[in-house]
């Protein structure tokens, strides 16, 4: 139904960003939280900044977006173990990357990977196949165009495949308990990327140990269930909302809010 038809009287209203900002929740509905994902895109950011003050709390998947809004906290993306988790399949490809080329410089990295490692999967794929495809890769490649902690990082980590990602200019991964050399591996330059690939393709025991620790870390701390629990905790502590008692997660959720 239309947003204008949503009845009042609920304990909490949660809006999930899907890229359309014309129709907003009416002011008569409260308390309300807006979970936004596209603060890193200029066109979306202008619209998000315009309507954010209408909400009691804004949860941003990018910390930089949360830092620019007065009523916002950082609640990153995550993973779904059932969808992204390791599948019992043999390793089939040297490198896997699933997504768009995304312009310069990522498309140049991807073209170089295609040429140097032809036995790789670099393409689009339906989201239900992500776990299956990454599980069959020796290394999962990522390049964050906007210097952000993106979904691909969690999807690769959750699959039990080694994540090789560009080094971010900030410490967001460390804030989430994801450490270089312990849960993932990073690179700064094209030469360093090739060096890391060659090393970890050749050193399977070290590679699989890092991948296994990375998988455990995200499955125990960074699923979408953890993210929803965090949002409900924020609703309770910041907005005074009475939330239902949820069965506890296996491990306490790390603090993600700024």
């Amino acid at each position: 139904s239309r947003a204008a038809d949503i009845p009042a009287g609920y304990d909490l209203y949660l809006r999930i960003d899907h890229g359309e900002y014309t129709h907003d929740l009416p002011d008569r509905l409260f308390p309300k939280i807006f979970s936004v994902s596209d603060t890193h895109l200029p066109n979306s950011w202008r619209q998000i900044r315009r309507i954010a003050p209408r909400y009691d709390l804004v949860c941003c998947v990018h910390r930089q977006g949360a830092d620019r809004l007065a009523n916002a906290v950082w609640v990153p993306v995550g993973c779904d173990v059932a969808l992204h988790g390791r599948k019992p399949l043999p390793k089939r490809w040297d490198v896997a990357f699933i997504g768009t080329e995304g312009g310069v410089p990522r498309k140049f990295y991807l073209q170089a990977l295609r040429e140097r490692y032809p036995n790789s999967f670099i393409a689009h794929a339906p989201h239900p196949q992500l776990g299956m495809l990454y599980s069959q890769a020796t290394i999962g490649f990522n390049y964050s165009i906007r210097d952000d902690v993106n979904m691909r990082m969690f999807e690769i980590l959750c699959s039990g495949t080694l994540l090789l990602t560009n080094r971010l200019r900030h410490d967001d991964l460390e804030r989430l308990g994801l450490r270089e050399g312990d849960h993932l591996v990073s690179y700064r330059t094209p030469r360093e990327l090739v060096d890391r690939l060659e090393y970890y393709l050749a050193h399977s025991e070290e590679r699989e140990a890092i991948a296994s620790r990375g998988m455990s870390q995200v499955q125990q701390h960074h699923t979408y269930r953890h993210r929803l629990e965090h949002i409900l905790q924020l609703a309770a502590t910041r907005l005074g909302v009475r939330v239902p008692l949820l069965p506890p997660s296996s491990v306490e959720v790390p603090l993600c809010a700024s």
Side-chain angles (χ1 to χ4, degrees), residues 65-80:
D67 290 345
R68 292 191 289 171
L69 295 172
N71 61 333
V73 294
W74 180 37
V75 181
V77 289
C79 60
D80 180 334

Side-chain angles (χ1 to χ4, degrees), residues 3-144:
D5 297 331
I6 298 174
Y10 287 99
D11 295 325
L12 177 66
Y13 295 87
L14 175 61
R15 175 180 176 178
I16 307 296
D17 186 1
H18 66 288
E20 198 283 318
Y21 307 104
T22 303
H23 303 287
D24 200 10
L25 293 180
D27 291 338
R28 61 184 174 80
L29 303 179
F30 65 90
K32 52 182 177 283
I33 294 176
F34 191 10
S35 176
V36 299
S37 56
D38 290 334
T39 57
H40 63 309
L41 302 178
N43 291 336
S44 297
W45 165 245
R46 286 192 290 270
Q47 298 299 322
I48 291 168
R49 183 176 58 183
R50 175 179 60 84
I51 65 176
R54 302 176 188 172
Y55 289 82
D56 299 286
L57 186 65
V58 178
C59 297
C60 298
V61 303
H62 300 112
R63 183 176 59 81
Q64 295 84 349
D67 290 345
R68 292 191 289 171
L69 295 172
N71 61 333
V73 294
W74 180 37
V75 181
V77 289
C79 60
D80 180 334
V81 177
L83 190 63
H84 306 129
R86 175 186 285 168
K87 307 299 186 289
L89 298 168
K91 296 297 185 183
R92 180 177 176 185
W93 299 293
D94 292 330
V95 181
F97 170 90
I98 301 170
T100 62
E101 295 203 348
V104 178
R106 188 162 78 189
K107 69 177 183 179
F108 294 141
Y109 277 104
L110 294 176
Q111 184 56 35
L113 291 176
R114 289 188 184 98
E115 294 173 2
R116 189 177 184 93
Y117 304 99
N119 182 38
S120 295
F121 185 92
I122 301 174
H124 293 278
H127 74 272
Q129 297 181 12
L130 293 181
M132 177 189 69
L133 293 170
Y134 280 129
S135 292
Q136 296 178 82
T138 305
I139 294 174
F141 170 78
N142 180 59
Y143 184 93
S144 296

Side-chain angles (χ1 to χ4, degrees), residues 74 149 167-180 184 186 217 222 254-255:
W74 180 37
V149 178
R167 179 71 62 86
L168 304 182
R169 293 191 296 270
H170 45 68
D171 64 347
D172 286 1
L173 287 172
E174 290 82 0
R175 293 187 188 205
L176 298 174
L178 295 168
R179 296 182 296 275
E180 164 74 21
L184 56 93
S186 65
Q217 182 74 357
H222 298 296
L255 180 63

Side-chain angles (χ1 to χ4, degrees), residues 144-173:
S144 296
I145 294 177
R146 300 285 183 175
D147 202 44
D148 58 310
V149 178
N150 60 24
M151 289 183 180
R152 189 178 299 104
M153 293 181 180
F154 293 103
E155 292 161 358
I156 294 171
L157 287 164
C158 188
S159 74
T161 288
L162 178 69
L163 169 63
L164 180 57
T165 185
N166 57 310
R167 179 71 62 86
L168 304 182
R169 293 191 296 270
H170 45 68
D171 64 347
D172 286 1
L173 287 172

